Amino acid sequence: MRRILEKLDGWTLSPVSVVGVSGTRVLLGFVGLMYYISQYGDRAFLFGPDSVLPWQEFADRVAENGSFSLYVISSSSAWFEIVFHLGIIAALLVTLGVGGRVGLAVHWVFLWSIYERQTVLLDGGDNLAYLVIPMLLLTRCYDRFSFPSGVGTKLASRLPDRVRVTATPLHNLGVLAIALQMCLVYVVSGLYKVQGQMWQDGTALFYVLRVPEFSFPALSHLVYENDFLVFSGTYVTVLFLVYFPLGILVPALRPWAAVMSIGFHLGIGLFMGLTGFALTMVACDLVFLSRGLDEAVTYATTRLQKARARRLETPPAQGSHDGDTAGSGQVKEDHTSPESVGSGRAG
C-alpha cells in the first residue's frame, strides 16, 4: 500500500511526457493548417455560401444534429472569408506555439466549424482531433517547441497556491486520457476487423487498396498484386491493433509499440492517401515517445551549440595583419599567392 501511495505522490509531483504532448500539439496544428491550405484554391466551391452544399441545407443539417459551426452564423461571403482566414491563422499559431491554451481552444472551435461545413472531405482523423485537443488543454503542451510570451506565467503567478498545485496532476491526467483514448481506438478497431470475413480470410488488404478513394495509383498496386504482402499485411494489422495496449503497458516495449504504430500509419497515409488521418494518429503516438523525442532534441541542440562554438573559435586568416602595413600592390600579391589562398580556405 505504501508503494502505491508513493507512486501516486510522484505522479502528482512530476509531469510526464511534456515533450510528447508538445509534439502532439505541433503536429495537430500542422494537420489543421494543411487542411486549410490544401483546400484554399477551392474554398468558395467547397465551403462558401454558394458551395456544392448550399448554405441553407448546411444550416438545417447543423440544427438537426444539434451541432454548431461558425459558418452557420451568416450566409455572407465576407463572413465566410473572415472565418476561413482566421482559422488559418489559428492553426498556424498553434503549430508555432503562440497563444497558449487559449489559442489552442480557439483553433479547436475553428477546426470543428470547418469540418462541420463539409463532412464528405473528412477521412476519420477529425474524430480523434475533436477528442484529443480538449485533453491537450489540460497538459503543458506549450512547454516545448513554442514561443512563450510570458503572459501565461504572469497570470499563473497570481493564482492561489491551491490552484497552482493542481497543474501537474491535471497535466498527467490529460496525458493519461490521451493514452487511454489511443488504446481504445486501437482495440475497438482491431476487434471490429476480427469480425469481418475478409479480415479472417487474410484478403482484406487486397480489396481495401483497390477502392479508388483509398488508393495511391503509383504504389498501391505493388501491395495488392503480391499475395504474400496482402496475406501478411492483413493479419499483422489485426494482431497489432488488438495487442497494442499490451505493448504500451510494458515500459520496455512502449517505445517499440509507438514506433510500429507510427510506421503503420505512415504506410496508411502513403498507400491509401489518408494523410490527415495518418498524421493525426502519429501526433497522438508521440505521447508514448516523449523520452526519445527529448533525447533527440537534446542531442540536436548540443550538436548545434558545439558547431557554433567551433565557428566562433576559428582563428582569423593569416596575412590579415600584413595588409595593414603593406602597400596595395603587396596586398594583391599576397592574395594571389598559394600560401594566402590556402590560409583563406583554412579560415
Side-chain angles (χ1 to χ4, degrees):
M1 186 65 181
R2 182 178 298 177
R3 292 182 178 179
I4 297 176
L5 293 177
E6 290 177 354
K7 288 184 178 180
L8 288 176
D9 289 338
W11 190 75
T12 58
L13 295 176
S14 58
V16 298
S17 192
V18 175
V19 181
V21 293
S22 298
T24 300
R25 184 260 309 161
V26 171
L27 199 48
L28 287 180
F30 174 75
V31 171
L33 182 63
M34 181 186 66
Y35 183 81
Y36 281 106
I37 294 177
S38 63
Q39 315 293 345
Y40 189 83
D42 298 323
R43 64 187 184 280
F45 175 74
L46 295 173
F47 310 109
D50 300 323
S51 68
V52 64
L53 178 64
W55 181 87
Q56 188 59 52
E57 183 178 344
F58 157 67
D60 294 340
R61 188 189 64 186
V62 170
E64 182 180 354
N65 295 335
S67 182
F68 76 91
S69 175
L70 295 176
Y71 295 91
V72 82
I73 295 177
S74 173
S75 60
S76 168
S77 298
W79 174 255
F80 157 71
E81 293 290 347
I82 291 173
V83 173
F84 189 88
H85 287 86
L86 286 178
I88 295 178
I89 296 173
L92 179 61
L93 293 179
V94 169
T95 305
L96 297 178
V98 179
R101 292 180 175 88
V102 175
L104 184 60
V106 171
H107 169 63
W108 183 83
V109 172
F110 279 104
L111 201 63
W112 181 290
S113 299
I114 193 68
Y115 284 163
E116 284 291 306
R117 183 62 182 95
Q118 193 58 266
T119 57
V120 297
L121 299 177
L122 305 180
D123 58 5
D126 56 293
N127 293 323
L128 190 59
Y130 291 155
L131 298 173
V132 171
I133 291 179
M135 298 174 188
L136 280 177
L137 294 175
L138 300 175
T139 68
R140 297 166 53 177
C141 59
Y142 279 85
D143 278 17
R144 305 293 291 270
F145 316 129
S146 63
F147 297 94
S149 61
V151 176
T153 305
K154 293 179 181 179
L155 293 177
S157 62
R158 299 179 180 179
L159 296 175
D161 293 337
R162 293 181 180 180
V163 177
R164 282 188 289 172
V165 296
T166 62
T168 298
L170 287 176
H171 165 83
N172 292 339
L173 181 63
V175 173
L176 180 61
I178 295 174
L180 291 176
Q181 179 61 48
M182 291 298 294
C183 291
L184 182 63
V185 169
Y186 282 113
V187 171
V188 172
S189 178
L191 294 178
Y192 182 80
K193 288 179 173 59
V194 167
Q195 303 176 39
Q197 186 63 39
M198 291 184 294
W199 292 96
Q200 296 175 8
D201 296 338
T203 59
L205 206 60
F206 173 81
Y207 296 102
V208 170
L209 292 179
R210 291 179 64 87
V211 177
E213 291 81 0
F214 304 129
S215 64
F216 195 94
L219 295 174
S220 298
H221 70 93
L222 299 177
V223 177
Y224 66 71
E225 290 179 355
N226 189 304
D227 294 341
F228 174 76
L229 292 179
V230 170
F231 182 82
S232 60
T234 301
Y235 283 115
V236 168
T237 297
V238 175
L239 291 174
F240 171 75
L241 293 175
V242 173
Y243 291 103
F244 176 82
L246 298 180
I248 294 300
L249 291 175
V250 181
L253 298 177
R254 189 174 302 154
W256 298 105
V259 169
M260 288 182 61
S261 177
I262 291 174
F264 174 72
H265 288 103
L266 289 178
I268 290 178
L270 182 62
F271 288 97
M272 300 181 63
L274 301 177
T275 309
F277 167 76
L279 291 180
T280 302
M281 295 295 292
V282 170
C284 298
D285 284 330
L286 295 181
V287 173
F288 306 113
L289 284 175
S290 183
R291 180 178 299 178
L293 286 175
D294 193 12
E295 293 176 354
V297 171
T298 302
Y299 175 79
T301 303
T302 303
R303 297 292 295 180
L304 289 175
Q305 290 176 350
K306 289 182 178 180
R308 184 178 300 175
R310 290 173 184 172
R311 185 177 301 174
L312 295 176
E313 293 175 359
T314 302
Q318 295 180 1
S320 58
H321 299 289
D322 297 340
D324 297 334
T325 58
S328 58
Q330 182 64 34
V331 172
K332 181 177 181 181
E333 180 180 354
D334 290 341
H335 280 284
T336 56
S337 63
E339 291 80 0
S340 52
V341 172
S343 64
R345 291 179 179 174

